[in-house]
């Protein structure tokens, strides 16, 4: 089996590091130049125990529960293990010791120092010391003979000596190394190795080879070398069995030889070529822990080529099919008894590169599934044994049984299916583990709560990011609160129950206006709080009884409901509550099985997500759940994937960031503290070599950008697709908030729409260049109405006439679909619109768009042409197709806007856009349409006018009046000549509803009908303006001239179109004005109009790709005249 290398992780600051295993191999111990000794449960341990032993630690050794360290104050200290309590000083030197080692039984230690001395000291009685003098330079390294007769030492004087310990004499010396004056200048630290057991061979790394010397004769047995080694070797280490020898070089190579055959069985290169300065073999498994001079720790597994039952790596899950078995299952398969539970934990590093242990005890948990204690009987085991006996009796050759496993009293059954994953424990988002003395209880967008629990103090500190919310607070923690949450209204704390006290929920409602700001609730007996959260005006807790209890922020108990499984975490924001819990069944092979509920606790209480399964990366667990600042639910898993709820795609979860891509080292992580959608920011704290930050020094918050995992984002196409959809996803919250009555930042909304439409247009241009015309049409389908016009223009200029034709058809089709959708929505919407001039509470955006349009138009007024806006209301789903940001319109004639109209409109509080303008100098140049004139007067005016209408004249403007008007507009848009902007009238009508007095509203229905005398007016206009069109577009053929004419004619204001219509009828403008003053047309006129509308529809049928059927048009036109 080839060896596997786990990713290295940050252990200590830069500088020399040393490494060893404890006696059982259940943990790795490292020391470094930061003066700390760290005890790692395994390589993925994110919270290693840390013992500070001095300013710098040069070397460490561990045996029999005693940890010895050589530190920078020139002493060799002893600490208890694993407690880390200081247990005295074994010996002192006049300079620092460079290497310390234990003998084989742990009764003596040897230390070599920079003052040229080597000392051998009894551990139990440090007064019994032997000093070996003879080296002429600092001592580099030492090694005890396994039989305790000799001690080997290497020094900067270039010699390697063997000493007889008993009489402190030098037995032999070899001048093997390059001389130097200090350890830091030595080419190699020359860690020596004596073969375990017999002590027959002494291994010395010399340049690029390992020299082996025989015991007693002290002659050179052989040299081990390999072409893989290109730099001097630094350290050697023997496997506990004495069969293999590993060596590490100064350029990061690790080589393992089978000493008997002298062949190289493993070659490994350090991922960053740092010098290897520490090597240690696992006492039981074929694993090597190694450290480098930059403070990193690594692990090499499955060393060697033989497969012995106990020569395996204890890893929770491995990658190929065989790994359905737990590490320990190999022992069952081979018929060996598994070691008892008292020996090392199921493996120090019982973890694969792609599995993260949720808790240090997972090794025990996994084994407990198989292991039984001595006093219990396993029914399965009895059955298995009896089956074996029966099968052997019946048929020795039967392959269905277990012929390979002889029945024996020690035989235990083995389970060969996937292993269940230990369930993740409940946690508070933004908190660090509860066992730490100084920890974060919560860090969120409001503030930070820290907990200090040491000998002097048990207290809680609360700090607000914005001190205007509340001042910093210091609270005693006599109840030992372990959970906390913080909002702009309150602080929520909770503690678990003890034998005497019940579990308590404690709230400090600092925003309360009365004097009593605190309240506490005791949970029922045997019910523990496991997760808590705060929302706007409410607090909630989930308990061990699988209940969620909701309270008001003032302390009134509200709803209680049951959860389907144990809670993992919960979070609140505004009216929303999200709860993550275990979905009854367990996950397997490292996967968690979680469900999510999302609820709204406002006036209308409803459940959005009904316990749907939560998507997590394979073999990961949940580390953070919460809401973005804008109120979109998000969560993060242990693999660093951030997912967000995509309300635009049926409440699905979309990955929006992978924090691992930003990490430098494999063991580095980002600890999330907040998410913002506008601007797009992921706020988190970088943690080097850990999953969470320390409380001191205060961690710095970093800001990461979001990136959706689209394919081929290195290409221009992939990049723009990612940007477009990211913009769409991150602006879904706008619609959600508007539905729930929140005020919105219009600038951001219009900016995002502009950005999305620009990206679509760039993608369209790119597809055009690549001659992907079908793709162009697909992109145009995502565009808003006016951007489609721009696309048509681009296509025709690119000589792609077939594409331009298809896009034109699509534009009309879109308009007709939109009109149909509007017709369905109108009845419901108009009832809702008038009571609230701001945002409606309806399910769509229509009820609130008029208020926003004015401001958006002001934004675009200077930079863009006047038609750029019209599609704002032409889309049934505003979050997909938003107002068009593009400056270029369909025709070049649209740029100029007669100033007299601008002045007239801005000088009045409420403007009638249907008033005939005095400016009729140039009917060819279309004056601005209703929307454009509105863009010229201030937002304040338009808002106040719309509100004034709603407030002052409620009896006059009844909900029924706008309906005929809109339907009339719809009918009108269909009776017009075909054009991409065929629903423009609808836009005009809607704007005018918000901004005009009631009598003006009544006039409109008739006036619009007069407008729509269809073909003849247009024909007269076209005859007069054909020359202008041809001047602007000389290359147009007849059909295109007519099409362009239609577009321009539609751009004319209602007044100007009316003039042409009247000319066609042969009537006069005065007649028209007289007509306008009447309240209601006569029945004859009514009939005549209907007939003419009908004729117009018939004449237009040939041009319309998708006309409404005849009866619909009749109905629409008839309906328009029923009311005035």
């Amino acid at each position: 089996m080839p060896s596997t290398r786990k990713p290295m992780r940050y252990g200590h600051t830069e500088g020399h590091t040393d490494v060893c295993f404890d006696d059982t191999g259940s943990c790795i111990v490292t020391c470094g130049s930061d003066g700390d000794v760290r005890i790692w449960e395994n390589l993925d341990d994110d919270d290693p125990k840390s013992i500070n032993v001095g300013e710098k630690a040069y070397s460490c050794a561990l045996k029999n529960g005693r940890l010895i360290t050589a530190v920078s104050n020139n002493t060799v200290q002893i600490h208890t293990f694993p407690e880390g309590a200081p247990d005295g000083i074994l010996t002192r030197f006049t300079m620092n010791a460079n290497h310390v080692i234990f003998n084989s039984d742990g009764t003596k230690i040897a230390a070599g120092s920079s003052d040229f001395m080597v000392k051998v000291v009894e551990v139990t009685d440090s007064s019994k010391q032997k000093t070996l003098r003879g080296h002429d330079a600092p001592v580099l390294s030492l090694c005890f003979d396994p039989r305790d007769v000799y001690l080997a030492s290497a020094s900067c004087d270039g010699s390697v000596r063997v000493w007889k310990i008993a009489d402190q004499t030098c037995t032999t010396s070899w001048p093997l190394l390059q001389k130097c004056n200090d350890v830091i200048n030595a080419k190699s630290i020359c860690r020596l190795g004596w073969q375990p057991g017999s002590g027959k061979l002494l291994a010395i790394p010399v340049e690029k080879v390992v020299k082996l010397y025989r015991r007693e004769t002290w002659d050179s047995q052989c040299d081990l070398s390999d072409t893989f080694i290109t730099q001097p070797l630094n350290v050697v280490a023997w496997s506990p069995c004495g069969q293999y020898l590993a060596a590490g070089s100064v350029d990061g190579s690790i080589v393992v030889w089978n000493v008997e055959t002298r062949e190289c069985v493993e070659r490994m290169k350090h991922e960053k070529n740092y010098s290897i300065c520490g090597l240690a073999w696992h006492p039981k498994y074929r694993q090597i822990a190694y450290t480098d001079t930059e403070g990193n720790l690594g692990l090499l597994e499955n060393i060697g080529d033989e497969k012995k039952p106990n020569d395996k790596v204890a890893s929770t899950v491995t990658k190929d099919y065989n790994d359905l078995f737990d590490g320990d299952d190999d022992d069952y398969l081979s018929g060996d008894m598994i070691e008892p539970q008292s020996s090392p934990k199921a493996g120090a590093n019982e973890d694969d590169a792609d599995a993260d242990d949720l808790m240090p005890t997972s090794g025990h948990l996994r084994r407990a599934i198989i292991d039984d204690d001595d006093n219990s009987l396993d029914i399965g085991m009895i059955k298995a044994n009896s089956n074996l006996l029966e099968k052997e009796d019946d048929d020795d050759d039967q392959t269905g049984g277990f012929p390979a496993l002889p029945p024996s009293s020690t035989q235990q059954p083995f389970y060969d299916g996937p292993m269940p994953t230990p369930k993740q424990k409940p946690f508070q988002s933004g908190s660090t583990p509860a066992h730490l003395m100084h920890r974060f209880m919560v860090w969120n967008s409001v503030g930070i709560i820290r907990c200090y629990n040491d000998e002097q103090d048990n207290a809680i500190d609360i700090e607000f990011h914005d001190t205007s919310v509340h001042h910093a607070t210091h609270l005693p923690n006599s109840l030992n609160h372990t959970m906390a949450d913080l909002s702009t209204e309150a602080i929520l704390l909770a503690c678990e129950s003890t034998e005497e006290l019940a579990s308590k929920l404690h709230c400090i409602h600092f925003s309360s206006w009365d004097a009593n700001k605190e309240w506490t609730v005791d949970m029922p007996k045997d019910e523990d709080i496991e997760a808590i959260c705060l929302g706007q005006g409410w607090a909630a807790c989930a308990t061990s009884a699988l209940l969620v209890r909701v309270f008001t922020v003032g302390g009134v108990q509200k709803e209680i409901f049951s959860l389907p499984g144990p809670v993992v975490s919960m979070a609140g924001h505004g009216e929303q509550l999200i709860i993550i819990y275990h979905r009854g069944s367990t996950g397997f092979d490292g996967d968690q099985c979680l469900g999510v509920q999302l609820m709204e606790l406002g006036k209308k209480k409803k459940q959005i997500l009904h316990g749907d399964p939560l998507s997590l990366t394979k073999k990961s667990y949940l580390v953070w759940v919460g809401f973005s600042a804008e109120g979109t639910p998000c969560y993060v898993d242990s693999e660093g994937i951030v997912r967000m709820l995509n309300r635009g795609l049926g409440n699905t979860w979309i990955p929006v960031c992978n924090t691992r891509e930003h990490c430098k080292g494999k063991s580095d992580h980002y600890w999330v503290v907040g998410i913002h959608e506008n601007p797009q920011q992921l706020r988190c704290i970088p943690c080097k070599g850990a999953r969470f930050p320390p409380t001191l020094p205060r961690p710095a918050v970093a800001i990461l950008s979001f990136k959706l995992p689209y394919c081929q984002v290195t290409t221009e196409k992939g990049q723009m697709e990612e940007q477009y959809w990211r913009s769409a996803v991150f602006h879904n919250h706008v619609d959600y908030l508007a539905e729930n009555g929140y005020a919105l930042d219009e600038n951001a909304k219009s900016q995002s729409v502009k950005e999305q439409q620009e990206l679509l247009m760039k993608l369209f241009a790119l597809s055009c260049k690549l001659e992907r015309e079908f793709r162009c049409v697909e992109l145009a389908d995502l565009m808003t109405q006016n951007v489609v016009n721009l696309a048509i223009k681009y296509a025709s200029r690119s000589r792609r006439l077939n594409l331009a034709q298809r896009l034109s058809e699509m534009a009309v089709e879109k308009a007709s679909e939109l009109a149909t959708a509007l017709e369905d929505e109108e009845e419901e919407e108009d009832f809702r619109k008038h009571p609230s001039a701001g945002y409606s509470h309806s399910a769509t955006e229509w009820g609130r768009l008029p208020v926003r349009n004015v401001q958006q138009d002001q934004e675009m007024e200077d930079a863009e042409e006047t038609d750029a806006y019209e599609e704002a209301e032409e889309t049934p789903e505003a979050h997909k197709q938003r107002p068009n940001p593009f400056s270029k319109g369909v025709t070049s004639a649209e740029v100029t806007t007669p100033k007299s109209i601008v002045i007239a409109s801005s000088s009045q509080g409420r403007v009638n856009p249907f008033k005939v303008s005095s400016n009729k100098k140039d009917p060819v140049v279309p004056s601005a349409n209703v929307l454009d004139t509105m863009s010229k007067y201030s937002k304040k005016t338009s808002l106040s006018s719309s509100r004034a209408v709603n407030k002052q004249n409620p009896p006059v403007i009844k909900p029924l009046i706008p309906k005929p008007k809109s339907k009339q507009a719809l009918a009108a848009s269909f009776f017009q000549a075909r054009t991409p902007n065929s629903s423009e009238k609808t836009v005009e009508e809607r704007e005018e509803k918000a901004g005009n007095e009631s009598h003006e509203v009544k006039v409109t229905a008739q006036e619009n009908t007069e407008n729509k005398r269809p073909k003849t007016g247009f024909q007269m206009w076209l005859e007069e303006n054909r020359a202008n069109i041809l001047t602007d577009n000389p290359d147009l053929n007849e059909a295109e001239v007519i099409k362009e004419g239609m577009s321009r004619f539609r751009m004319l204001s209602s007044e100007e179109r009316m003039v042409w219509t009247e000319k066609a009828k042969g009537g006069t403008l005065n007649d028209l004005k007289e007509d306008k003053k009447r309240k209601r047309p006569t029945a004859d006129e009514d009939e005549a109009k209907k007939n003419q509308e009908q004729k117009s529809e018939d004449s237009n049928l040939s041009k319309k790709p998708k006309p409404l059927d005849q009866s619909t048009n009749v109905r629409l036109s008839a309906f328009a005249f029923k009311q005035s």
Side-chain angles (χ1 to χ4, degrees):
M1 183 192 295
S3 69
T4 55
R5 177 175 71 179
K6 301 189 89 173
M8 293 198 76
R9 64 169 305 148
Y10 172 81
H12 298 272
T13 53
E14 290 174 17
H16 177 81
T17 42
D18 202 4
V19 62
C20 60
F21 281 96
D22 72 340
D23 300 336
T24 59
S26 61
C27 54
I28 308 170
V29 178
T30 60
C31 71
S33 52
D34 48 12
D36 286 340
V37 171
R38 296 215 163 91
I39 302 164
W40 310 78
E41 293 271 345
N42 50 52
L43 198 66
D44 298 315
D45 184 0
D46 290 315
D47 185 23
K49 184 170 181 181
S50 195
I51 306 164
N52 188 269
V53 293
E55 267 186 48
K56 271 191 177 186
Y58 296 100
S59 177
C60 64
L62 175 62
K63 233 183 186 82
N64 303 341
R66 293 188 180 94
L67 172 70
I68 55 166
T69 49
V71 288
S72 52
N73 61 359
N74 307 341
T75 61
V76 174
Q77 301 176 352
I78 189 164
H79 287 76
T80 60
F81 182 85
E83 298 81 20
D87 202 16
I89 291 173
L90 278 177
T91 187
R92 293 177 189 277
F93 294 93
T94 55
M95 289 185 77
N96 58 278
N98 296 316
H99 196 201
V100 290
I101 50 162
F102 270 107
N103 66 348
S104 52
D105 60 4
T107 55
K108 298 187 188 115
I109 66 115
S113 161
S114 288
D115 63 3
F116 314 171
M117 300 279 194
V118 176
K119 290 187 181 179
V120 180
V121 187
E122 295 267 344
V123 174
T124 49
D125 183 1
S126 59
S127 60
K128 294 179 181 173
Q129 294 194 7
K130 291 180 178 173
T131 306
L132 310 175
R133 294 182 174 86
H135 280 299
D136 302 324
V139 178
L140 288 168
S141 72
L142 305 165
C143 188
F144 267 112
D145 161 26
R147 298 187 192 171
D148 268 5
V149 178
Y150 300 107
L151 176 76
S153 65
S155 164
C156 291
D157 62 10
S159 68
V160 175
R161 296 179 176 230
V162 176
W163 310 80
K164 197 163 187 179
I165 300 169
D167 53 11
Q168 303 171 40
T169 55
C170 178
T171 306
T172 187
S173 176
W174 299 284
L176 297 172
L177 312 175
Q178 194 172 326
K179 292 185 179 183
C180 60
N181 58 1
D182 200 0
V183 179
I184 56 169
N185 299 324
K187 257 181 146 183
S188 158
I189 55 170
C190 193
R191 292 279 191 258
L192 312 169
W194 222 304
Q195 189 174 21
S198 63
K200 192 168 94 174
L201 298 171
L202 173 65
I204 305 169
V206 181
E207 288 294 323
K208 299 173 196 170
V209 298
V210 177
K211 291 187 173 292
L212 297 177
Y213 288 87
R214 290 183 73 84
R215 183 195 182 86
E216 306 295 354
T217 61
W218 311 120
D219 54 357
S220 177
Q221 162 99 355
C222 64
D223 290 355
L224 298 175
S225 62
D226 192 77
T227 52
F228 186 69
I229 303 166
T230 55
Q231 293 288 317
L233 293 169
N234 224 10
V235 288
V236 294
W238 289 87
S239 64
C241 61
Q243 185 182 356
Y244 298 103
L245 180 71
S249 77
V250 296
D251 69 343
S253 305
I254 295 179
V255 178
V256 182
W257 291 276
N258 182 328
V259 178
E260 220 170 290
T261 61
R262 298 191 201 173
E263 68 177 302
C264 181
V265 293
E266 290 297 344
R267 297 178 182 88
M268 192 281 289
K269 188 78 171 166
H270 186 294
E271 53 198 50
K272 289 188 180 166
N273 297 346
Y274 293 151
S275 177
I276 305 290
C277 55
L279 273 185
W281 283 78
H282 193 287
K284 292 191 174 59
Y285 308 131
R286 291 189 179 175
Q287 297 179 345
I288 297 176
Y290 58 97
T291 54
D292 61 33
T293 50
E294 295 291 317
N296 300 306
L297 168 67
L299 195 68
L300 197 59
E301 304 184 325
N302 298 337
I303 311 290
D305 44 5
E306 296 177 36
K307 295 190 176 79
K308 291 185 183 173
N310 59 345
D311 283 347
K312 54 100 185 121
V313 182
S315 56
T316 43
V317 189
T318 41
K319 285 181 183 136
D320 47 354
Y321 178 71
N322 312 334
D323 306 322
L324 288 170
F325 305 109
D326 187 40
D328 300 326
D329 298 339
D330 299 343
D331 295 334
Y332 291 126
L333 285 170
S334 56
D336 291 351
M337 266 300 282
I338 194 155
E339 61 196 63
Q341 190 77 17
S342 59
S343 66
K345 298 182 188 171
N349 308 295
E350 188 169 356
D351 243 346
D352 217 314
D354 55 352
D356 262 304
D357 265 356
L358 303 185
M359 53 211 83
T361 55
S362 66
H364 295 291
L365 290 172
R366 293 176 62 86
R367 175 166 296 178
I369 293 162
I370 304 170
D371 271 356
D372 298 296
D373 62 49
D374 299 332
N375 302 321
S376 66
L377 282 171
D378 184 334
I379 301 297
M381 178 174 146
I382 295 166
K383 282 184 182 172
N385 284 339
S386 62
N387 285 349
L388 277 172
L389 293 168
E390 283 167 21
K391 279 180 181 164
E392 287 198 348
D393 291 342
D394 294 349
D395 183 2
D396 287 341
D397 301 328
Q398 185 166 354
T399 54
F402 303 95
L405 297 176
S408 69
S409 58
T410 62
Q411 179 68 50
Q412 291 197 14
F414 61 85
Y415 167 65
D416 61 354
M419 298 306 295
T421 309
K423 285 188 174 180
Q424 182 176 354
K425 290 182 175 161
F427 70 93
Q428 284 296 115
S429 288
S431 69
T432 53
H435 66 265
L436 300 175
M437 286 195 293
H438 292 194
R439 62 180 285 249
F440 292 111
M441 294 181 83
V442 69
W443 183 322
N444 62 19
S445 54
V446 179
I448 305 168
I449 301 183
R450 291 185 190 80
C451 179
Y452 301 97
N453 186 5
D454 45 34
E455 294 78 30
Q456 296 85 31
D457 200 9
N458 188 354
I460 291 171
D461 275 347
I462 298 144
E463 173 192 325
F464 291 84
H465 300 315
D466 180 359
T467 48
S468 66
V469 174
H470 197 262
H471 57 79
T473 310
H474 180 84
L475 304 171
N477 190 14
S478 52
L479 289 171
N480 198 21
H481 291 297
T482 54
M483 290 160 268
D485 199 11
L486 183 63
S487 76
T488 50
E489 296 178 309
I491 299 157
L492 193 63
L493 301 166
C495 61
E496 295 171 350
S497 60
T498 60
E499 287 177 10
E500 302 85 34
L501 296 170
S503 179
K504 295 177 189 293
L505 186 70
H506 181 65
C507 180
I508 303 162
H509 181 203
F510 56 76
S511 69
S512 168
W513 44 264
D514 68 1
N516 297 319
K517 297 186 185 298
E518 297 189 29
W519 54 268
T520 304
V521 174
D522 285 7
M523 294 296 119
K525 193 174 184 305
D526 300 329
E527 188 173 328
D528 267 343
I529 296 173
E530 295 187 326
I532 59 173
C533 71
L534 279 165
Q536 196 173 348
W538 56 269
C541 67
T543 68
S544 55
L546 304 188
L547 290 177
V548 174
R549 299 175 177 273
V550 183
F551 303 82
T552 65
V553 77
V556 179
Q557 294 191 56
K558 291 185 78 184
E559 292 83 4
I560 298 178
F561 58 92
S562 287
L563 281 178
V567 72
V568 175
S569 194
M570 62 198 293
H573 181 280
E575 296 173 350
Q576 300 178 86
L577 166 66
I578 187 169
I579 309 164
I580 313 286
Y581 58 87
H582 290 287
R583 294 177 58 237
S585 60
T586 182
F588 285 91
D589 280 345
D591 294 332
Q592 292 291 327
C593 185
L594 305 180
V596 55
Q597 282 189 7
L598 177 62
M599 317 181 71
E600 288 184 4
L601 303 175
K603 286 199 171 74
K604 290 183 180 174
K605 294 179 175 56
K606 57 183 176 183
Q607 197 166 346
I608 312 297
L609 296 175
H610 302 258
D612 304 1
L614 193 72
S615 319
L616 290 172
T617 312
K618 205 163 169 46
K619 301 189 192 312
S620 72
Y621 52 95
L622 189 71
V623 294
W624 187 90
V625 62
F627 291 85
S628 69
E630 290 77 12
T632 306
C634 309
Y635 65 93
V636 187
D637 64 30
S638 56
E639 290 298 308
I641 306 293
V642 183
R643 290 181 179 83
M644 180 181 279
L645 190 71
N646 185 0
R647 300 188 199 270
L649 190 64
N651 292 332
T652 48
W653 296 98
I654 181 168
V656 292
C657 181
N658 182 358
T659 61
R660 302 292 299 148
E661 287 178 359
H662 301 269
C663 294
K664 287 179 184 159
K666 293 282 195 305
S667 56
D668 299 346
H669 295 89
Y670 278 97
W671 194 67
V672 175
V673 294
I675 292 176
H676 293 259
E677 293 177 77
N678 187 22
Q680 294 176 19
Q681 288 180 350
L682 178 66
R683 301 173 67 80
C684 45
I685 294 167
C687 307
K688 198 168 167 75
R691 283 197 173 273
F692 50 83
T695 52
L696 291 170
R698 185 192 173 101
V701 177
I703 290 174
L704 301 185
S705 55
F706 292 102
K707 190 168 104 182
L708 272 51
Y710 275 81
C711 304
Q712 295 179 318
V713 286
T714 48
T715 65
E716 200 180 355
K717 172 180 174 282
Q719 201 176 342
M720 288 192 289
E721 286 168 338
E722 189 273 336
Q723 286 172 357
Y724 171 77
W725 287 110
R726 175 153 45 87
S727 178
V729 167
F730 276 81
H731 286 88
N732 283 335
H733 70 271
V734 174
D735 307 318
Y736 174 78
L737 291 177
E739 285 167 28
N740 288 277
Y742 290 90
L744 289 173
D745 177 6
E746 297 300 337
N747 300 357
K749 167 94 174 169
S750 59
Q751 190 55 41
S752 72
V753 172
K754 179 174 180 177
E755 174 193 314
Q756 286 167 35
Q757 297 300 318
E758 274 176 3
L759 286 164
L760 284 176
M761 199 58 220
K762 283 181 190 168
L763 277 166
F764 181 88
L766 184 67
S767 302
C768 264
K769 278 182 196 161
L770 299 173
E771 300 187 351
R772 298 265 184 188
E773 296 195 2
F774 189 87
R775 188 182 290 168
C776 289
V777 175
E778 290 175 322
L779 287 165
D781 199 33
L782 297 169
M783 293 175 183
T784 54
Q785 197 90 17
N786 279 12
V787 186
V788 173
N789 295 341
L790 191 57
I792 293 170
K793 197 169 182 183
Y794 185 92
S796 50
R797 282 187 182 166
S798 309
R799 297 280 184 276
R800 301 192 183 281
L801 299 180
N802 183 23
L803 175 61
Q805 180 59 36
R806 285 182 183 276
L807 292 177
S808 306
E809 289 167 12
M810 181 182 172
V812 178
E813 195 176 315
K814 267 183 146 182
S816 65
E817 282 171 9
L818 171 68
T820 315
L822 274 177
E823 183 184 329
D824 298 340
E825 284 177 10
E826 270 314 306
E827 295 177 21
E828 178 188 357
E829 283 307 316
D830 285 333
F831 276 106
R832 297 186 181 187
K833 182 181 168 191
H834 290 285
S836 58
Y839 294 116
S840 78
H841 288 265
S842 68
T844 71
E845 282 197 301
W846 290 102
R848 65 178 185 280
L849 270 169
V851 181
R852 301 145 110 205
N853 290 337
V854 181
Q855 187 180 0
Q856 286 170 341
D857 268 5
Q858 284 173 323
E859 297 244 337
M860 299 178 200
E861 170 187 336
D862 300 328
E864 297 160 16
E865 289 180 17
T866 52
D867 78 312
Y869 177 67
E870 290 162 19
E871 39 57 65
E873 299 194 7
E874 296 175 4
T875 54
E877 296 175 55
H879 66 275
K880 286 188 185 166
Q881 299 177 355
R882 297 191 177 88
N884 166 30
F886 282 89
S887 56
K888 284 286 170 201
V890 182
T891 69
S892 54
E894 291 164 14
V895 185
T896 51
T897 304
K899 293 290 173 208
S900 60
I901 293 183
V902 178
I903 296 158
S905 62
S906 57
S907 63
Q908 301 168 14
R910 288 189 280 275
V911 182
N912 177 9
F914 293 87
K915 190 170 178 183
V916 177
S917 164
S918 60
N919 185 317
K920 296 196 181 69
K921 288 175 198 167
D922 185 8
V924 178
V925 179
S927 66
N929 65 23
V930 180
L931 290 179
D932 298 321
T933 54
M934 285 187 70
S935 75
K936 303 297 186 283
Y937 58 82
S938 75
K939 173 186 174 194
K940 194 171 176 185
T941 312
S942 79
L943 282 174
S944 60
S945 69
S946 70
R947 289 196 175 115
V949 173
N950 291 332
K951 286 176 188 166
Q952 292 167 16
N953 301 313
V956 185
I957 301 187
K958 295 192 173 103
L960 285 171
I961 290 178
K963 276 196 291 179
K965 189 181 57 177
S966 293
K967 297 206 174 181
Q968 166 59 26
L970 288 170
S973 70
F974 277 99
F975 303 146
Q976 292 285 339
R978 185 177 65 132
T979 161
N981 283 334
S982 57
S983 60
E984 179 192 344
K985 281 311 293 177
T986 312
V987 184
E988 282 182 34
E989 303 301 326
R990 299 205 54 80
E991 281 296 337
E992 155 253 287
K993 272 196 294 187
N996 294 337
E997 293 285 13
S998 58
H999 68 88
E1000 292 167 358
V1001 173
K1002 292 178 184 178
V1003 168
T1004 310
Q1006 296 170 348
E1007 186 184 327
N1008 283 344
T1009 318
E1010 303 277 339
N1011 273 357
K1012 307 296 183 296
R1013 303 288 178 236
K1015 234 175 118 182
T1016 50
F1018 167 67
Q1019 283 173 334
M1020 285 182 70
W1021 180 87
L1022 185 60
E1023 284 161 17
E1024 201 161 316
N1025 291 282
R1026 182 186 299 273
N1028 288 354
I1029 293 170
L1030 287 169
T1031 309
D1032 293 341
N1033 306 285
D1035 52 349
L1036 296 182
N1037 60 28
E1038 183 57 25
E1040 286 168 335
V1041 167
I1042 292 171
K1043 191 191 295 181
E1044 182 66 19
M1046 288 177 196
S1047 297
R1048 294 195 185 188
F1049 188 68
R1050 288 287 286 121
M1051 291 301 171
L1052 296 181
S1053 68
S1054 349
E1055 295 85 0
E1056 286 172 308
R1057 276 203 298 270
M1058 232 184 289
V1059 173
W1060 289 101
T1061 309
E1062 291 304 321
K1063 277 186 191 175
K1065 284 196 321 188
T1068 65
L1069 201 59
N1070 292 336
D1071 292 342
L1072 175 69
K1073 285 185 179 172
E1074 281 299 312
D1075 204 11
K1076 255 163 86 172
K1077 289 176 188 168
R1078 287 193 226 148
K1079 283 280 179 190
R1080 207 176 174 90
T1082 62
D1084 296 344
E1085 278 178 308
D1086 207 349
E1087 199 56 43
K1089 283 175 190 171
K1090 279 191 216 170
N1091 293 340
Q1092 244 183 311
E1093 299 279 359
Q1094 184 59 52
K1095 280 180 206 162
S1096 116
E1097 185 230 347
D1098 294 340
S1099 64
N1100 272 336
L1101 276 176
S1102 57
K1103 293 186 183 180
K1104 284 195 174 290
K1106 285 195 175 178
L1108 289 177
D1109 64 285
Q1110 213 169 344
S1111 58
T1112 312
N1113 284 341
V1114 174
R1115 258 202 331 271
L1116 281 171
S1117 52
F1119 179 67
F1121 292 98
K1122 276 180 194 164
Q1123 288 154 357
S1124 48

